[in-house]
Amino acid sequence: MAKTTRATQFLDKAGVAYTTVAYDYDPNAERIGLQAAEAIGEHPSRVLKTLMAELDGKPVCVVVPSDKEVSMKKLASAFGGKSAAMMKPANAEKLTGFVVGGISPFGQKKQVPTAIEISAMDEALVYMNGGQRGLQVRLSPQDALKALGAIAAPLMA
């Protein structure tokens, strides 16, 4: 498994301190984020999943704890939009350049507005996808927020 991905290159260029954590990705897992948390031995609230959505027809990236669901109403509100919906997996792959299960908020082909669940800011360190299946990056949520130019907002259902 490559430890250098577009996501890690993005973090390196941004000067963000992080460590990589590889794990055995299970393509048959019902919930990828929960499987990742279990595989690396971390609480699901610290292992964040990256989701792609559409807000009033425009793409956005959403990062929430792997054991939680996104409220489309709260997502729309966070960006001052009217309605939000999950993006189709094929569209998410095309837009980000990553495959489902390996979508990272870092180093996407086209950087889009990003929101991180505000409760993640209470953690000293969190895990986010490192740009490929079976790779997480461990970093400060504040560093992630700054590097992405993201907003922190209540997003959970």
Side-chain angles (χ1 to χ4, degrees):
M1 169 183 305
K3 296 264 177 149
T4 300
T5 65
R6 280 198 336 274
T8 60
Q9 290 169 338
F10 174 93
L11 291 170
D12 290 341
K13 190 174 179 184
V16 174
Y18 68 93
T19 55
T20 57
V21 179
Y23 66 96
D24 289 327
Y25 174 83
D26 179 0
N28 300 314
E30 197 171 308
R31 295 180 66 189
I32 295 166
L34 292 179
Q35 187 264 324
E38 186 176 324
I40 64 174
E42 276 292 340
H43 192 276
S45 65
R46 284 188 292 277
V47 179
L48 309 180
K49 60 186 173 183
T50 304
L51 304 170
M52 300 304 294
E54 292 180 351
L55 176 71
D56 298 335
K58 301 229 184 312
V60 293
C61 181
V62 190
V63 182
V64 296
S66 58
D67 59 343
K68 303 296 183 191
E69 297 300 320
V70 176
S71 160
M72 291 300 134
K73 190 173 187 176
K74 288 181 182 176
L75 174 60
S77 176
F79 284 112
K82 291 185 171 126
S83 68
M86 292 305 298
M87 188 179 288
K88 288 184 170 74
N91 293 347
E93 288 183 345
K94 185 176 179 185
L95 180 75
T96 64
F98 296 119
V99 296
V100 169
I103 294 178
S104 176
F106 310 111
Q108 295 182 1
K109 275 198 318 194
K110 180 179 185 223
Q111 199 65 44
V112 299
T114 302
I116 300 174
E117 165 54 40
I118 197 162
S119 65
M121 296 300 121
D122 295 336
E123 301 289 345
L125 294 168
V126 294
Y127 295 79
M128 295 185 190
N129 194 289
Q132 69 184 32
R133 292 173 173 170
L135 184 68
Q136 296 281 316
V137 290
R138 181 176 177 242
L139 72 169
S140 149
Q142 287 80 11
D143 286 349
L145 191 75
K146 186 177 173 189
L148 291 165
I151 60 169
L155 301 167
M156 296 187 297

